[in-house]
């Protein structure tokens, strides 16, 4: 349980059309990853549809507000930015040419007070903090600018 609620599977509902006061807000079909024309949806489109569905739970009087028409797009874009680190297949790719051979480097290296921003995978909420990293280089040193990445 999370915050006293039992975890239960839910169906996500969405509509490909933008809400309008006359349509009564977001509503519609299950998010399946298939666009109305039968074409597969991109991950960006699936995320946007999921945010439309989430807004629909607030009721048609709220989800139909003109100020919210682009909110699913903006929220999906923010989601992609906050989770971009999950799409890194090879961490060494991030380091690039920032790994240096320094045979005499054998002492502890410590980097302190690096800003850290991530997302709680259980609550899907962002959090921030400060990170400290220490390692013994064993002849290889990582450039300081690579650590925050």
């Amino acid at each position: 349980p999370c915050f006293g609620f039992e975890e239960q599977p839910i169906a996500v509902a969405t509509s490909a059309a933008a809400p309008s006061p006359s349509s009564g807000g977001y509503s519609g079909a299950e998010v399946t990853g298939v666009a109305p024309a039968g074409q597969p949806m991109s991950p960006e489109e699936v995320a946007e549809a999921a945010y439309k569905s989430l807004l629909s739970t607030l009721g048609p009087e709220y989800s139909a507000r003109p100020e919210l028409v682009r909110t699913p797009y903006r929220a999906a874009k923010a989601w992609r930015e906050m989770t971009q680190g999950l799409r890194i297949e090879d961490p060494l790719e991030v380091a690039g040419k920032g790994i240096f051979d320094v045979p005499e480097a054998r002492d502890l290296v410590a980097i302190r007070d690096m800003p850290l921003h991530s997302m709680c995978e259980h609550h899907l909420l962002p959090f921030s903090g400060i990170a400290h990293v220490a390692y013994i280089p064993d002849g290889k040193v990582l450039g300081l600018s690579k650590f925050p990445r």
Side-chain angles (χ1 to χ4, degrees):
C2 178
F3 293 115
F5 295 101
E6 292 293 322
E7 293 182 23
Q8 297 187 17
I10 59 169
V12 179
T14 186
S15 170
S20 68
S22 63
S23 72
Y26 302 113
S27 64
E30 182 178 342
V31 175
T32 60
V34 178
Q39 298 295 320
M41 294 172 70
S42 69
E44 293 82 7
E45 292 170 322
V46 172
E48 188 172 342
Y51 278 106
K52 285 180 184 179
S53 176
L54 186 62
L55 284 173
S56 75
T57 66
L58 300 175
E61 66 285 346
Y62 187 80
S63 63
R65 291 179 45 223
E67 299 86 1
L68 297 180
V69 169
R70 293 195 33 88
T71 296
Y73 167 79
R74 288 189 297 269
K77 181 179 178 191
W79 173 262
R80 289 190 307 276
E81 290 172 4
M82 288 187 285
T83 60
Q84 69 185 356
L86 298 174
R87 292 183 286 280
I88 296 173
E89 292 184 25
D90 181 9
L92 291 178
E93 187 178 304
V94 175
K97 297 182 180 186
I99 300 176
F100 304 99
D101 287 319
V102 184
E104 64 276 6
R106 302 261 184 256
D107 293 331
L108 182 72
V109 175
I111 299 87
R112 297 180 36 128
D113 301 327
M114 291 183 295
L116 169 71
H117 307 283
S118 191
M119 182 180 302
C120 172
E121 64 184 16
H122 301 289
H123 301 100
L124 300 179
L125 294 172
F127 64 89
S128 298
I130 301 292
H132 311 290
V133 175
Y135 72 102
I136 299 176
D138 196 24
K140 293 202 183 279
V141 177
L142 184 62
L144 291 177
S145 70
K146 303 302 179 184
F147 281 96
R149 297 179 189 183

